């Protein structure tokens, strides 16, 4: 369990990345953004973050992203532990749009499956 | 996928627009507000933002808008990706009022369709 | 649509009113608070706001109100556009308590109607 | 309605109490915390607040309380208007734990009644 | 009830711990994190917090944790009062991932039971 202890709070300053997604702040680590899906647009983006223009950050030093904050939470959790977990009231189509935007290819078929279930559930409700 | 990389974090400072909608901050880009529905009241408003009085902004530099923050989120997502996506617990009538206010004509018939479904679903629940 | 453009972002500084309702900030305009229901306790209160003691404001200049923030959102939207719009998970009884407190007489019968529907829906669920 | 006007925004500075409950700020008045249930642990606690150690406050001057913020909202509303009002998605067992902790004896039987209803509703859903 | 009064607001400064979980601040006490489940990874972590590198904290002095904020709330409440209480719309699988990460062994079987119920409820909805 030693390695998990180290994972909880990281040793080096530069590993923490502050994000401002559509006006809401998130904090995560470089390893979460870069290692889970290294070929994604998101990973490639932040791999080169030290070359970015200062205008890409807000006053608090958070990287600005012009996307929904609400649907970003399950995206970030997926990068943290590899599972797609949505609350009952969250529309999976909203999360799918974000997964496509960030280029998280492994997440897309999982979300499409959830959308199928969500729709069939919803139609049962509205048609019967 | 190069162009998408550029879309994630914009190069120029002046492209970011901070909004204070009813007390909650949102951040987006000028291209999201201006390009998706250029004839809308919202787009015409922010096209001329450099001429606005300083009193139109709060202390953090965010443009003040006296409208609901809750129903603004799906409005902004629509301008970002062109889809109307609402969570199950969000009343589409609340979003419609905002779409009408901001003059987003292409969004209105889509919301009216969702309201039809929402109402028929709700009535099934309460009458049977 | 010219007048609507002007409505979006107001010209004069003094028209914006910052509220701290139970710990959450809301921003609105004097015309929203004063003109929609001028005989209400809320309107009469803020009509005389320039005479208020400085202790009625927090450090950010927001007027302090010792009431629920959650149920205040539909109240403020009602003053903005005249419709009572609640999300599915919001208990209309919570909003009614606020409407009574703020003296919004025109809103009360509309909420009582929603409470009837909400209760009959809820009882169907719990009794069958 | 004169007395209600006075109730909206209080005259004296010292009457406002800022709370930091589990990381979220709430603002209320001494009369709300002290007068509705004067024998409660919460009331007795804040009756003696001027004797408290400075370490009981955070940097903004809010009293620190190591409890859930989510379930505190209906607690505070109860102290404001005397009614137990919960949204559909709020688990009344979470609120009960807080009412017991704060020693709000008059609120406890009302919550136990709601828990009965909540459970019978939930079981109908999962068993039939 | 004397001891409960003391529990509400702690006497010593150093007992309060500020956490930044995925971008959201929580405040709790050392006794909540250390005493309820002393063998957990979380407790062992914070037992040694005075030895941590300064880079483990954000600018406000909060310990940084790269995990979901939404599913952390029921985790923290469990450490406060020993009960697993989830709102209807919260997916218990999201909380389970956090309980496993933080090493809260006594919480895991309780969450697995809730997941069973949640799934059977959901399937009834979607399959009939």
């Amino acid at each position: 369990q030693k390695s998990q202890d180290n994972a909880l709070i990281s040793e080096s300053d530069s590993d923490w990345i502050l994000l401002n997604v559509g006006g809401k702040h998130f904090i995560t680590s470089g390893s979460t953004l870069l290692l889970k899906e290294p070929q994604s647009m998101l990973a490639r983006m932040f791999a080169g973050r030290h070359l970015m223009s200062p205008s890409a950050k807000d006053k608090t030093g958070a990287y600005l992203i012009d996307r929904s904050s609400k649907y970003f939470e399950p995206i970030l959790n997926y990068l943290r532990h590899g599972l797609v977990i949505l609350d009952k009231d969250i529309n999976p189509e909203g999360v799918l749009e974000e997964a496509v935007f960030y280029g998280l290819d492994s997440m897309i078929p999982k979300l499409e499956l959830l959308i199928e279930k969500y729709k069939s559930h919803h139609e049962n409700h509205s048609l019967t």
Side-chain angles (χ1 to χ4, degrees), chain A:
Chain A
Q1 214 155 7
K2 188 98 195 281
S3 65
Q4 209 179 14
D5 281 21
N6 291 339
L8 178 61
I9 294 177
S10 119
E11 290 300 309
S12 78
D13 233 332
S14 56
D15 197 32
W16 292 101
I17 294 177
L18 191 56
L19 303 172
N20 181 338
V21 183
K24 188 179 171 184
H25 282 96
F26 292 88
I27 202 150
T28 187
S29 62
S31 63
T32 294
L33 292 180
L34 300 181
L35 301 185
K36 300 298 172 63
E37 187 122 346
Q39 297 309 314
S40 69
M41 195 270 281
L42 191 68
R44 288 183 293 118
M45 195 65 221
F46 281 95
R49 67 188 180 280
H50 303 297
L51 302 170
M52 280 183 196
S53 139
S55 69
K57 291 187 179 185
D58 70 13
K59 286 168 195 171
T60 70
Y63 291 96
L64 289 156
I65 302 184
D66 181 21
R67 299 295 296 184
S68 159
S69 62
K70 191 190 247 178
Y71 299 122
F72 184 67
E73 173 137 350
I75 294 276
L76 194 51
N77 287 340
Y78 176 74
L79 294 173
R80 284 167 175 148
H81 53 49
L83 300 176
V84 179
I85 296 177
L86 305 187
D87 288 343
K88 243 190 283 190
D89 62 334
I90 294 293
N91 190 333
E93 296 181 85
V95 186
L96 177 64
E97 283 307 302
E98 304 312 298
V100 168
F101 178 81
Y102 295 114
L104 299 169
D105 292 345
S106 71
M107 197 184 186
I108 292 171
K110 291 169 187 169
L111 284 163
E112 285 169 339
L113 211 75
L114 282 173
I115 291 168
E116 289 290 302
K117 283 191 188 175
Y118 189 86
K119 280 193 176 161
S120 72
H121 179 178
H122 192 74
E123 259 155 53
N124 279 336
H125 264 282
S126 54
L127 299 181
T128 57

